[in-house]
Structure formats: C-alpha cells, structure tokens
Amino acid sequence: MRKKLLSILVLLCLTVTSACASPLTDANTATKDIFLSPGVWNLDNAIYAAYVWDSNGNAWFPFTELPGTNYYLAQVPDNYTGLVLVRLRPNSADGYMPDNNGLNWANEWNQTADIDFSAVADMTTFAITGWDDGGGKGYSAFSQMNPNSAKVSLKKVVAIAKIFDDIDTSNAEALLLNPDASPANVIAELQDLGKATKDKTKEVMDEAKQFFATFDGDAATNLDAYFTAAETALDGTDFDAISNSLLALASNALPYAQSAMGKVNDYLQKMGSETINSDLEAIQSIIQSIILSPSDIKSDLPNLIAAIKQLKGDMTGAAATYMNTVKTLIDDAEAAGKDVSEVKAAYTTIKTKAAAYLLNSATLVEMGKALYDLIKEVEEYKEAQEVPTGISGFTAEKQNSATIYNLNGQRVEKAQKGLYIINGKKVMVK
C-alpha cells in the first residue's frame, strides 16, 4: 500500500511540480556516501538508485559505478530519515518508463526493506544478498566501507596513467598519500583520471594499430587478437585486466615494431635530418632494450612513449624542411623539361596530410605514410637521373655474360627497358 501511495505522489509531483521529487534542501546540508555492492542484483544491465524520504518529501538518487571496484556510489543529503535501495530496469528493457531519467517506481525490479536512514553512519556499504517479491521484503546486509578500496583502484589507474607523460597524476598521488583524504574526493579523482587514462590509451592504441596496418600487414594480422583483448578490457572497469592486456599487447607488438621501424628508418633517414635520425635511433634503442629485457617493460614503456612523442614533435619541422628541398627539385626539373609528375603528385599529398596533421585531423602515421611515399618517389627519380654520360644502350650479347641487378637489389637473367646495375655500374637499357 505504501509503495502505491508513493507512486501516486511521485506521479502528481512530476505532472504538477518538481518540488516533491526534488525537495529543496539547505545548501549547507551534509551528504552521506552510500556504497552499494549489488551482489545477486548485478544482472541484466540493471541500474540502481536510492529512494529517500522524510516528513517534507522524497527523492531519487542514482548510484554511479566506481571504476575497478565492485561498488556503486550515491551521495545523498543526510536530512532524510528513510531509505530504500532499488534495482531498476535499464532503458533498453521492455516497458521502460523514461520519466525522471528512469528513476521511478514503474521501472522497479527489486527493492530492499525500509532502512532507517537517520541511523546510518557515513561510509556505509549495503551488500545485496538475496531476492524479493518486489514488496520490500528483500534481504540486505550493510557494514562499514573500507575507505582504502577506492584508493587501491586509484593507485592502479595512476600506474597506467604514468606511462604517458602528458596525463597529470599529481592530484591523485596527493590523495593517495593523504590518510585523511575524503572518500568522495578519491572517488571523483578515480572517475576523472580513469576516463582520461582510458581515452589516452585508446588514442595511442589506435595509432599503433594504424602503424602496423600501414607498414606491416602481417604484423597487423598477428597482433589483432591482442588489440581486441586490450580494447575489450578498456571498455570495462577492471584496471588489473586493462594493465595486463596492455602489457601483453606491448610485449608481442614490440618485436614487430622493431622490424617495421627498420623499414621506415631506411626511407626517413634519406630526409637528411639529424634530429629525425636521432629520434629514430632513440626509439629503436628502447625497443631493442625491451626485447632483450622483457621484465623491464613497465619501466621502459614511459621512455618509449616519450621518445615517440619527441619524434611527433620534430616531424613537422623536419618534414617542412625536406618539402622545401623537394619543391626546389620539382621546379628545377620542370624548368629542364623533365618528367617529375610522380614526385609532384606525392608532394601534393604530403602537403595536404601535413596541414591536416597540424589541425589534428590526420594522425602521425598518416602523415608519415605520405612522407614515406614522397621520399620513395624522390629517390626513384634521382636514381633515374643518374645515368652515366655516353651510355646509350646495352646489347643482348653483352647481357649474356653480365651480372645484372634491378634497383631493388634482385639479380635478373636479362635486363628489360629501364635502369639496372650491370657489372657494378648503373646502366640505362633502352
């Protein structure tokens, strides 16, 4: 009967005024942190809420999941006297009622018996231990919450966040060192830092995935399962699982990264930039160190991230300098009536990608691939221009006794039309 009466009151409040559903409270009213361990309620994507009342009115307060824990938190003004914990159907369920953001009795699945809220001490945990018939006869147990539980989770998040040198963990570390830190502040920091860390991790993973797909298709295929596992973990709140999946991905990806970076280095070093060459050598050195000592991966990963960030910072300037050199080459070639169309097309592409990269609408990998293609076209053009003066051809008879290689370093039996290395010299075969 009480529940039906409250339902009528809530309905009246929603249609006439919000005063009942959200009674005015003194701005200085203290709040209580109510923690919920849903236990058997933790099924079917249910949502949870605290329904409270006193002689002046009633209100709903939703529970928010705490990342990396088995707890949910609701912060409720302590002026209320009565409390019921409620399990509600999610917005994807049949018959879901959206009124008051779904916080209404029409969406109720289960509830606890009435709890004397005025007698509940701060930092209380409610553990749901049984089901009920929806009539307030459910079983519940409550005990003091261990204030260190949120700190344990925050410590795990900090360990992951410190891999990246552009995530500020100072506030979190101060809270961890403060034995009197407010649990509410710890939880708020856990949520904020957890989201920032997961967002940054996903960003770096996306670039790594794109790198392998661009420069080493076999590696991309072999690493797909590790990327998928890490992505799945990042969608959850278990920071142990997130950390372990990231370490597994890094351990398996780095040997492939060393191979792929070797291919990229061969071209990027042709830019003639000492800064870029130094950055590439630093990345290769760290990768090699991790491969030789896998147990040091946790301490070496921040160094690798920092080295890659350094490369990203230096790439724009080095690419601009190289592109100026290429522009001069294109202008000189066109003035001499030479065919430089392939180089010019690649130059146009890198200009577009570089501009997009500066506007954060293209990744470093996309710009790097465009630069890679430009360098390749420039080198092939230069090779084609380095034909020894006076050589107009090479007879078939001479080819039969010659040692012939194409420009990829592959030995061939017979040279067709084009540029070859024959008996150690560059020769244009017409």
Side-chain angles (χ1 to χ4, degrees):
M1 173 62 83
R2 181 185 65 77
K3 189 180 75 174
K4 291 182 178 179
L5 176 59
L6 291 176
S7 298
I8 294 172
L9 289 174
V10 171
L11 179 60
L12 286 173
C13 290
L14 288 171
T15 56
V16 179
T17 176
S18 62
C20 258
S22 300
L24 294 175
T25 58
D26 189 314
N28 296 319
T29 298
T31 61
K32 293 180 180 178
D33 294 329
I34 304 299
F35 295 90
L36 172 68
S37 178
V40 293
W41 278 6
N42 193 18
L43 295 171
D44 306 318
N45 297 314
I47 57 177
Y48 312 102
Y51 180 81
V52 292
W53 67 90
D54 60 15
S55 59
N56 296 315
N58 52 74
W60 290 90
F61 291 90
F63 280 93
T64 301
E65 184 176 7
L66 304 181
T69 75
N70 294 317
Y71 295 102
Y72 289 70
L73 168 69
Q75 293 179 306
V76 183
D78 66 0
N79 57 294
Y80 293 103
T81 57
L83 166 69
V84 170
L85 303 174
V86 188
R87 177 177 182 261
L88 300 163
R89 59 171 55 87
N91 58 15
S92 58
D94 293 338
Y96 173 81
M97 297 295 290
D99 299 349
N100 195 31
N101 295 316
L103 302 180
N104 59 75
W105 287 109
N107 290 328
E108 180 224 8
W109 270 344
N110 307 92
Q111 67 181 82
T112 65
D114 293 356
I115 299 169
D116 184 354
F117 186 63
S118 61
V120 172
D122 288 343
M123 296 300 296
T124 295
T125 298
F126 293 85
I128 306 303
T129 59
W131 295 98
D132 66 74
D133 60 5
K137 297 178 181 178
Y139 295 95
S140 63
F142 51 93
S143 59
Q144 289 296 308
M145 170 84 173
N146 179 357
N148 290 326
S149 61
K151 282 191 172 183
V152 170
S153 295
L154 184 58
K155 186 176 182 180
K156 295 174 184 177
V157 178
V158 168
I160 299 174
K162 289 180 77 67
I163 292 176
F164 312 103
D165 61 357
D166 51 358
I167 296 181
D168 184 6
T169 61
S170 58
N171 188 50
E173 291 178 278
L175 288 170
L176 290 171
L177 292 173
N178 181 4
D180 299 321
S182 161
N185 289 340
V186 173
I187 290 162
E189 181 64 22
L190 176 62
Q191 293 173 321
D192 291 343
L193 184 61
K195 182 179 185 305
T197 300
K198 295 206 304 186
D199 287 347
K200 184 63 179 181
T201 303
K202 288 178 180 179
E203 176 190 328
V204 172
M205 278 178 52
D206 286 344
E207 288 201 2
K209 199 171 185 178
Q210 188 181 40
F211 172 79
F212 287 115
T214 301
F215 294 106
D216 194 333
D218 289 340
T221 299
N222 293 333
L223 292 171
D224 184 65
Y226 295 101
F227 275 108
T228 299
E231 289 164 351
T232 299
L234 283 166
D235 286 336
T237 58
D238 185 342
F239 286 98
D240 280 333
I242 291 173
S243 179
N244 290 336
S245 66
L246 291 177
L247 289 175
L249 171 61
S251 297
N252 286 276
L254 287 175
Y256 290 110
Q258 184 181 42
S259 174
M261 282 296 297
K263 299 175 185 178
V264 174
N265 283 0
D266 291 343
Y267 275 96
L268 294 187
Q269 287 178 352
K270 295 181 185 298
M271 292 171 60
S273 168
E274 293 184 6
T275 301
I276 292 297
N277 289 348
S278 176
D279 291 344
L280 293 170
E281 288 173 3
I283 293 173
Q284 285 283 58
S285 176
I286 296 171
I287 291 175
Q288 182 64 19
S289 174
I290 296 175
I291 291 174
L292 293 176
S293 301
S295 60
D296 296 333
I297 188 170
K298 285 186 178 181
S299 58
D300 285 337
L301 272 180
N303 296 331
L304 178 58
I305 295 293
I308 293 174
K309 186 178 180 181
Q310 184 66 46
L311 173 63
K312 292 176 69 173
D314 294 335
M315 181 65 82
T316 302
T321 300
Y322 179 73
M323 287 167 63
N324 288 336
T325 302
V326 174
K327 182 64 169 61
T328 300
L329 181 150
I330 292 172
D331 292 342
D332 291 345
E334 289 183 331
K338 297 179 180 179
D339 181 9
V340 72
S341 57
E342 296 297 329
V343 174
K344 192 171 184 179
Y347 176 79
T348 301
T349 299
I350 182 59
K351 280 186 64 178
T352 302
K353 289 296 183 183
Y357 176 72
L358 291 175
L359 294 173
N360 294 319
S361 58
T363 66
L364 175 67
V365 176
E366 290 172 326
M367 189 178 85
K369 178 60 167 61
L371 184 60
Y372 179 94
D373 291 339
L374 174 62
I375 295 170
K376 183 177 180 181
E377 292 297 340
V378 168
E379 294 303 310
E380 289 183 357
Y381 173 78
K382 287 180 177 179
E383 290 284 356
Q385 302 309 306
E386 294 177 3
V387 180
T389 304
I391 296 179
S392 58
F394 205 75
T395 65
E397 289 78 10
K398 290 182 179 179
Q399 286 189 41
N400 290 335
S401 59
T403 301
I404 307 171
Y405 292 89
N406 61 25
L407 293 183
N408 292 322
Q410 300 167 320
R411 184 168 181 173
V412 296
E413 293 297 323
K414 183 177 181 181
Q416 305 295 325
K417 184 178 180 181
L419 186 64
Y420 291 84
I421 307 298
I422 301 178
N423 291 338
K425 297 181 180 180
K426 294 179 182 176
V427 177
M428 177 63 74
V429 177
K430 300 183 178 179

